[in-house]
Amino acid sequence: MDQNPERSALALRPIEFWGAYTSRTLRPLWVAEELGLAYQLHPIAPRSGETQTEAFTRLNPKQKIPCMVDGNVPGTLVLTESLPIGRYLIAAYGTKALSAPTLPLQAAREDEWCCYALAELDETSLYVIRRHRDLAHIYGEGPEVVKACFEYLDRHLKVVNAALEMGGFILGDRFSLADIMLTSCLAWAKDYGATLRPASEAYLQRMAGRSAYQRALAANTPAQA
């Protein structure tokens, strides 16, 4: 998993990730693949009991995935949550193909779309649907909640589509962490049965055609014994 000739010499040891099978665990793997970083994946699944073991709880008391350890940092760095993991990897090991923004306005625009994807598409819409439809046996059925979430999701998918009608990436001509966050949500929405408008569908196909995305997707969905 070290196929990028621009890989930073700073990453001497493989980075370790915990977590697989979800849109949220895909994101840091995709970042790592875009950067050509060597990594070791521990493909533990959510709600499998694997996040509640004593060993994992010592590593991450939140008992959540994804989780990352960078042994290249003195004292060992542990990070959780997909957005800060991605932000850190790009800042620490960025390449010409995927780098941290250098201007304040660029950084603000990238954060704007990352936060929008995370807050409005992931947390407020898609994950609530998951809780009250796919995980109804845990959180309780909520057909009216699910219906309202799909309606809310569609309102924001319309906003996303308008931003993508010029083609290219969400920030124009620069591939960024915002594309990784947004693409993961669009793929999740489509998988849940939401209808993507033409510009969003074309964008999703472009992003899914990236070799790094395909490698990350394969790593994120390992065959279960």
Side-chain angles (χ1 to χ4, degrees):
M1 298 179 182
D2 183 11
Q3 303 178 32
N4 191 329
E6 295 184 31
R7 180 187 171 219
S8 173
L10 294 174
L12 301 177
R13 301 183 181 90
I15 290 166
E16 293 184 77
F17 293 112
W18 280 259
Y21 309 105
T22 77
S23 296
R24 293 172 178 176
T25 56
L26 172 69
R27 296 164 187 162
L29 299 179
W30 186 3
V31 172
E33 291 289 354
E34 291 283 353
L35 298 176
L37 295 174
Y39 63 86
Q40 178 183 2
L41 174 62
H42 306 278
I44 64 175
R47 294 182 177 80
S48 63
E50 295 170 294
T51 62
Q52 298 174 0
T53 64
E54 183 178 344
F56 186 74
T57 302
R58 283 198 304 270
L59 181 69
N60 179 13
K62 299 174 185 175
Q63 298 183 327
K64 294 287 188 178
I65 54 175
C67 178
M68 183 209 75
V69 169
D70 186 354
N72 296 288
V73 177
T76 304
L77 171 69
V78 180
L79 277 177
T80 65
E81 311 297 336
S82 61
L83 180 55
I85 292 172
R87 180 71 75 214
Y88 165 76
L89 290 174
I90 294 168
Y93 305 113
T95 65
K96 291 180 181 178
L98 181 58
S99 60
T102 56
L103 299 177
L105 181 57
Q106 289 177 333
R109 290 299 186 197
E110 184 171 298
D111 279 345
E112 178 183 28
W113 278 105
C114 285
C115 292
Y116 183 73
L118 188 62
E120 305 301 340
L121 303 182
D122 179 325
E123 295 174 345
T124 306
S125 305
L126 293 163
Y127 193 68
V128 178
I129 293 169
R130 173 169 167 75
R131 286 169 68 103
H132 295 290
R133 188 184 69 177
D134 300 355
L135 301 174
H137 60 289
I138 299 174
Y139 297 104
E141 293 186 0
E144 291 301 316
V145 172
V146 170
K147 180 176 181 291
C149 283
F150 269 113
E151 292 171 352
Y152 186 82
L153 173 64
D154 188 65
R155 283 169 48 197
H156 291 286
L157 290 177
K158 184 178 180 180
V159 173
V160 170
N161 193 76
L164 292 171
E165 285 181 342
M166 295 300 291
F169 304 110
I170 191 61
L171 296 178
D173 60 357
R174 183 175 72 88
F175 178 73
S176 71
L177 181 58
D179 291 295
I180 290 173
M181 299 295 296
L182 181 59
T183 298
S184 69
C185 290
L186 291 180
W188 187 357
K190 186 175 180 179
D191 183 60
Y192 269 15
T195 300
L196 301 186
R197 292 167 175 83
S200 298
E201 181 65 45
Y203 168 83
L204 179 59
Q205 295 306 311
R206 290 196 303 276
M207 297 301 103
R210 296 178 71 89
S211 58
Y213 174 89
Q214 294 168 9
R215 293 193 300 271
L217 187 63
N220 194 51
T221 51
Q224 298 190 42

